Amino acid sequence: MKDDLSKLLDFIDTSGLSRRSFLSRTAAFGLTAALGTSLLPGMARAEEPKKGGVLKMGLGGGESTDALDPGLADGPVAFNVNRQWGDTIVNVLPDGTIEPRLAETVASNEDGSVWTFKIREGVKFHDGTDMTVDDVVASMKRHSDENAKSGAFGIMQGISNIKADGGNVVFTLSAGNADLPYLLADYHLIVQPKGGVEDPNKGIGTGPYKLTAAEPGVRYAFEKNKDDWDTTRGHYDGVEIIVINDTTARTSALQSGQVQIINRVDPKVAKLLARAPGVKVTNVAGRGHYVFIMHCNTAPFDNKDLRLALKYAINRQEMVDKILDGYGSIGNDLPVNKAYPLFDETLPQREFSLEKAAEHYKASGHDGSPIEMIVADGAFPGAVDAAALFQQTAKAAGIPLEIKRVPDDGYWSDVWNVKPFCASYWGGRPVQDQMYSTAYLSTADWNDTKFFNPEFDALVLQARSESDQDKRKALYTQIATILWEEGGLICPMFNDWVEAHTEAVAGWFDDPAQELMNGFASAKTWMA
């Protein structure tokens, strides 16, 4: 065991901590190696970044109800805004490596039930105060409070105690979990002064840019944080985020030079846009997925046969071909795919079947009244067209699906996680535990299908602490099977992140985790 540990520590010191090695080894012994940012893969740059300039980003997915509270970030603009001013204690790099941020080192005991994060010293918040271990503890505890309504509440459920110990933050878990550092990289878990308890909407953090203006649904402005603890990022003098929800307007703004970066390029125009002078279109496959979600506790979706009827009535391949134009892959009514470690590729693919759809619809005993699904352009690129395709195939199966189109503004506050049937999207998460815990545990605040299944909950918790990887994979297969058969998720496709920037932007690299380089485009690129 000692020889094995020495070899692992040598490996960590020289090449960073890989996802696979992390899972296979931390279950056997405590992780005590320091993770140094200078040694992590993917950090070297081919050219020296240039300083200066103001980066303008035109982003879709913002609304007037967006808050600066990182726990409430539920759309693309809110996600990217918070990346400007905030930091988490660790991050996950594109290759699955854990990267230290506000924590310098990570250590665990043998069974992964106690984790210790040494907090970086000399870091200042934007208001000039020192960031302390107590700020980290308070931040983590706030997201563990159900009253905070944090999107990270589900993943914090397995943590029984969070405390300061000198310069460390110690997490004690109810059961061992080798994935904890991945969970704590969640973008909601930004460290704020005193945890943001008094006012989580101040937008004060330790990030590369300081917030100077916030007009939700319109624009946000930032200036460089001259006291930034990380000198390898934040190369611009300032950043401006302009909310442009209309896809055509967003694309035009890029081509005309009004903005240098846009998100959510419509796959149907991506190839054409790529031919425009001075424009670079990028796409990267990952864990993001476009979905239609049903509340399992609300009629008529509380009927399993009706849910199955709708699942069989959707033509997944047609959607990938027509909506994604090939920039993605078919889904299987699960929030995980082969991009996740321990994914079981032998799970059966649910096929499009009008016969089975009609059979289950008849078995449901539904009265034939219209089944309303709410959709907006901002739910995901091509959402309205996808809903129309779904309506056509459902009609062919005798299912009276009715589409209600609503404005983008207010969609994420008034429709998603509120109405019983709507279109949505998920960015995915680094590990299966985080995806399931965030969106499908009965206790999760973002359980947007209102899926309450005690057996499922117990298996998710059991998988967290299972050290044998074959047994853990088998547990995830059971978890997926329950959700596949019983859940309210219709997942027709996993999307590529399709984005574009002008030649004025240098230093771009692909990151499968989330859009715009996992939200770090402004922090890690520079003016060419």
Side-chain angles (χ1 to χ4, degrees), residues 117-411:
F117 295 77
K118 184 179 185 299
I119 302 305
R120 192 178 298 274
E121 297 180 350
V123 178
K124 289 187 177 295
F125 287 115
H126 295 159
D127 61 3
T129 60
D130 292 327
M131 183 205 71
T132 68
V133 173
D134 291 336
D135 294 312
V136 178
V137 171
S139 297
M140 299 299 115
K141 285 186 174 180
R142 186 173 80 83
H143 291 279
S144 304
D145 180 358
E146 63 180 345
N147 294 320
K149 301 297 181 184
S150 172
F153 180 69
I155 65 175
M156 304 298 283
Q157 291 305 285
I159 301 172
S160 58
N161 188 45
I162 307 170
K163 68 176 183 179
D165 180 14
N168 302 319
V169 175
V170 180
F171 294 81
T172 301
L173 282 58
S174 53
N177 187 355
D179 284 340
L180 185 71
Y182 292 89
L183 305 187
L184 297 183
D186 188 279
Y187 61 86
H188 298 96
L189 298 177
I190 289 175
V191 176
Q192 298 176 270
K194 299 180 180 179
V197 174
E198 295 179 359
D199 184 1
N201 289 291
K202 283 187 175 181
I204 295 176
T206 61
Y209 299 103
K210 293 182 180 181
L211 180 71
T212 58
E215 301 174 63
V218 182
R219 68 181 286 273
Y220 299 83
F222 305 85
E223 65 181 12
K224 181 177 175 57
N225 175 17
K226 295 180 180 178
D227 296 321
D228 192 4
W229 62 272
D230 184 351
T231 59
T232 68
R233 65 178 183 178
H235 309 297
Y236 301 103
D237 292 331
V239 175
E240 184 176 1
I241 292 177
I242 305 167
V243 180
I244 311 176
N245 286 323
D246 182 79
T247 301
T248 303
R250 196 162 60 248
T251 304
S252 298
L254 181 78
Q255 291 180 281
S256 64
Q258 297 176 57
V259 299
Q260 290 85 45
I261 294 176
I262 63 171
N263 68 344
R264 293 190 154 201
V265 172
D266 189 331
K268 294 191 293 294
V269 303
K271 294 182 177 68
L272 181 63
L273 180 61
R275 295 199 292 267
V279 172
K280 172 72 172 178
V281 175
T282 64
N283 70 288
V284 57
R287 305 173 183 91
H289 46 288
Y290 297 156
V291 298
F292 300 104
I293 49 177
M294 304 172 284
H295 287 186
C296 297
N297 65 346
T298 305
F301 311 106
D302 56 352
N303 184 304
K304 178 182 175 180
D305 277 302
L306 183 72
R307 297 197 299 271
L308 286 171
L310 289 165
K311 291 176 182 180
Y312 279 112
I314 195 164
N315 190 328
R316 294 163 180 77
Q317 190 61 58
E318 181 183 39
M319 288 203 176
V320 170
D321 294 341
K322 294 183 177 180
I323 303 302
L324 299 184
D325 196 24
Y327 288 102
S329 58
I330 63 170
N332 193 24
D333 300 336
L334 293 169
V336 297
N337 61 2
K338 62 183 180 181
Y340 284 85
L342 304 182
F343 176 73
D344 187 348
E345 296 189 44
T346 66
L347 289 168
Q349 172 65 49
R350 178 168 280 127
E351 302 292 345
F352 170 54
S353 172
L354 293 178
E355 182 181 355
K356 287 186 177 181
E359 178 184 328
H360 282 289
Y361 180 66
K362 182 179 179 180
S364 75
H366 187 254
D367 61 9
S369 60
I371 299 172
E372 183 180 84
M373 182 173 72
I374 303 176
V375 66
D377 289 315
F380 58 80
V384 173
D385 290 339
L389 289 176
F390 191 5
Q391 184 181 38
Q392 291 171 12
T393 51
K395 182 179 180 181
I399 303 173
L401 183 59
E402 183 177 279
I403 306 303
K404 181 180 179 181
R405 186 175 179 179
V406 299
D408 289 344
D409 196 51
Y411 190 80

Side-chain angles (χ1 to χ4, degrees), residues 419-437:
K419 300 299 183 182
F421 194 21
C422 71
S424 185
Y425 84 100
W426 276 92
R429 296 297 186 269
V431 291
Q432 293 194 51
D433 178 39
Q434 188 174 6
M435 189 67 244
Y436 289 129
S437 298

